[in-house]
Amino acid sequence: ANQLYEEAINEYKLAIDYDKSLTKPRFEPAPYGLQARFMLARLYKQTQRIDEAINELEKVIAIDDTYQDAKTDLVNLLDLKAQSLERGGDTRDYFRALELYERIVQLEPGHVDAWVEIGKIKYYWLNKPKEALEAFQEVQKMMKSNAWSVAEKGRVAGLVGIILGGVSDDLVRQHLQRLPNFSGREAWQ
């Protein structure tokens, strides 16, 4: 199986080299070389070569930042990598995880979980409570502007409440009640 993956990887590399001009054919969503680079990234992901997959997807986005499938895959892989860096046992790297989460929100500004993680890292590990609060305020803006379910608002509010630790439940509840269509009751049941 590994040999087949390696052969496919080599074929995609040839396709990338063949289409250096990245001319978009009629009736195709993207140039063949760009599609090949995207598929190469997916093969790298399948073979657990996450850094190489991220690198190829970054190249796709640099060429065409409207390539939504590539952007989605990149966000997912960056999130996976950041989570593994945060939970890496003795080799945790919060600085690198923060860089990855910041790249996620650059690509997808509405990525709530990345904003929450940015806030957590800045609060707990970097001792930057003001910057952490700014990240949580981004989450709050999204909660106000999006039609989130009460359960989703409660999940995010619970995370923020846990992070703020010393803040009483009453204060968190008062803060949540300022949000539209959210009584805060469900978060404490």
Side-chain angles (χ1 to χ4, degrees), residues 9-94:
I9 286 169
N10 289 332
E11 291 297 320
Y12 282 123
K13 286 179 178 179
L14 286 173
I16 292 166
D17 287 341
Y18 180 75
D19 188 22
K20 287 193 186 293
S21 66
L22 295 173
T23 305
K24 185 176 180 260
R26 278 181 73 176
F27 308 113
E28 287 292 330
Y32 293 127
L34 201 59
Q35 291 180 54
R37 192 173 295 284
F38 174 69
M39 294 308 297
L40 176 60
R42 286 200 162 168
L43 274 176
Y44 281 147
K45 178 186 172 196
Q46 287 178 325
T47 57
Q48 302 301 308
R49 293 159 67 175
I50 302 302
D51 289 332
E52 290 170 279
I54 289 171
N55 186 40
E56 291 302 324
L57 289 167
E58 287 284 11
K59 290 176 184 175
V60 171
I61 299 302
I63 294 167
D64 181 0
D65 66 350
T66 66
Y67 202 129
Q68 193 56 48
D69 288 340
K71 203 177 272 192
T72 299
D73 282 8
L74 179 57
V75 165
N76 290 337
L77 286 176
L78 290 170
D79 190 37
L80 178 72
K81 175 115 176 144
Q83 287 179 39
S84 75
L85 289 168
E86 278 186 287
R87 295 168 180 86
D90 293 336
T91 60
R92 293 179 183 181
D93 186 349
Y94 294 106

Side-chain angles (χ1 to χ4, degrees), residues 138-184:
E138 287 297 321
V139 173
Q140 182 185 21
K141 286 180 204 172
M142 286 181 264
M143 289 174 76
K144 284 182 179 180
S145 65
N146 292 328
W148 284 12
S149 70
V150 171
E152 184 65 9
K153 287 181 181 180
R155 180 186 74 81
V156 173
L159 285 171
V160 173
I162 289 167
I163 291 158
L164 296 178
V167 178
S168 70
D169 280 350
D170 288 336
L171 190 57
V172 173
R173 192 176 293 118
Q174 288 170 6
H175 180 70
L176 287 172
Q177 287 176 346
R178 290 188 222 140
L179 300 173
N181 304 321
F182 185 69
S183 68

